[in-house]
């Protein structure tokens, strides 16, 4: 076995392709690289549509989903925050997206690294983490201060945070926390 390092965006993309409790990073990579068992997906070609009575145009990529959410949720212009590809800032907000893009799943799986948490905690802006599943049109938008408060209550002492959310009950398993009040459907933002 050989160990490799990958950046957080690649890790999160691999998670979005994984079958919970079945796949390992190696099995996902094998499937994507060698096209074994399943059709591989490209980050930019993952498609889904947002249907509602207003017949908005189809949202076709995870990047477009994040952009649509920022535009509909906030009345500010955002720019990406280096070195993170899924962290965006405006004059008043710092928003970090963690994306899992799969239908019919019993587990939404994310990971907040020590570096991303530090960036969110050390800003003077309102810092939010958005756990998304574009395939089902949902976002759990949680202020970092609320995450830190719950982590303290549950005596979470690790530098990073593992995030496994049961989408049926809106429960963040590691922190034994019902996050239903943070749930937003993109189609409901207007």
């Amino acid at each position: 076995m050989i160990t490799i390092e990958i950046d957080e965006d690649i890790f999160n993309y691999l998670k979005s392709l994984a079958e919970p409790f079945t796949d390992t990073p190696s099995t996902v990579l094998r499937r994507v690289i060698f096209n074994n068992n399943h059709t591989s997906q490209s980050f930019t070609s993952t498609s889904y549509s947002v249907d509602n009575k207003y017949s908005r145009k189809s949202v076709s990529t995870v990047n477009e989903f994040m952009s649509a959410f920022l535009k509909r949720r906030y009345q500010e212009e955002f720019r990406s925050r280096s070195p993170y590809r899924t962290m965006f800032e405006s004059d008043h907000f710092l928003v970090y997206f963690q994306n899992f893009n799969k239908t019919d799943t019993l587990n939404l799986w994310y990971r907040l690294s020590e570096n991303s948490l530090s960036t969110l905690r050390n800003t003077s802006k309102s810092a939010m983490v958005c756990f998304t599943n574009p395939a089902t049109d949902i976002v759990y938008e949680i202020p970092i201060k609320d995450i830190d408060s719950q982590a303290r209550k549950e005596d979470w002492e690790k530098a990073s945070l593992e995030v496994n959310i049961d989408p049926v009950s809106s429960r963040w398993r590691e922190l034994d926390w019902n996050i239903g009040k943070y749930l937003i459907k993109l189609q409901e933002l207007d």
Side-chain angles (χ1 to χ4, degrees):
M1 177 116 1
I2 297 172
T3 303
I4 62 170
E5 289 186 31
I6 58 174
D7 66 30
E8 191 169 347
D9 289 338
I10 298 298
F11 180 74
N12 290 328
Y13 176 66
L14 289 175
K15 287 191 311 186
S16 75
L17 298 176
E19 292 290 331
F21 304 113
T22 303
D23 276 330
T24 65
S26 183
T27 60
V28 174
L29 284 169
R30 179 176 300 281
R31 186 169 54 248
V32 170
I33 293 169
F34 299 113
N35 201 18
N36 288 356
N37 299 328
H38 302 295
T39 304
S40 65
Q41 293 177 287
S42 159
F43 179 75
T44 58
S45 68
T46 303
S47 65
Y48 51 90
S49 62
V50 178
D51 298 321
N52 69 33
K53 62 185 175 185
Y54 302 111
S55 302
R56 265 189 233 102
K57 85 175 198 179
S58 172
V59 179
S60 62
T61 68
V62 172
N63 288 336
E64 288 176 4
F65 184 88
M66 292 185 294
S67 178
F69 179 80
L70 290 173
K71 286 178 186 171
R72 294 176 189 163
R73 180 73 171 149
Y74 302 96
Q75 303 301 313
E76 298 190 30
E77 291 294 318
F78 282 84
R79 61 203 164 278
S80 61
R81 170 76 179 258
S82 186
Y84 307 98
R85 285 185 243 164
T86 60
M87 187 179 289
F88 303 91
E89 66 181 332
S90 68
D91 291 340
H92 300 98
F93 297 95
L94 184 61
V95 181
Y96 185 47
F97 288 90
Q98 291 283 288
N99 301 297
F100 186 96
N101 196 26
K102 193 169 202 169
T103 58
D104 301 323
T105 183
L106 299 176
N107 190 54
L108 303 174
W109 179 35
Y110 313 93
R111 184 174 183 276
L112 296 172
S113 71
E114 182 178 0
N115 290 340
S116 60
L117 286 168
S118 178
T119 300
L120 291 161
R121 289 173 178 142
N122 293 319
T123 185
S124 60
K125 300 175 182 185
S126 294
M128 303 292 205
V129 178
C130 291
F131 300 109
T132 78
N133 188 0
T136 59
D137 190 39
I138 65 166
V139 177
Y140 290 97
E141 179 194 53
I142 310 176
I144 190 66
K145 63 181 180 53
D146 291 2
I147 293 171
D148 285 342
S149 175
Q150 185 66 26
R152 280 190 300 276
K153 284 180 189 174
E154 293 299 318
D155 295 322
W156 186 271
E157 296 181 12
K158 296 178 184 175
S160 62
L161 275 170
E162 295 301 320
V163 184
N164 287 283
I165 299 171
D166 175 352
V168 174
S169 66
S170 292
R171 179 154 302 282
W172 182 335
R173 291 180 176 99
E174 290 80 6
L175 298 181
D176 191 28
W177 186 21
N178 184 322
I179 57 172
K181 72 179 185 178
Y182 301 102
L183 178 63
I184 299 170
K185 288 201 165 269
L186 182 63
Q187 67 185 9
E188 294 172 356
L189 292 178
D190 275 324

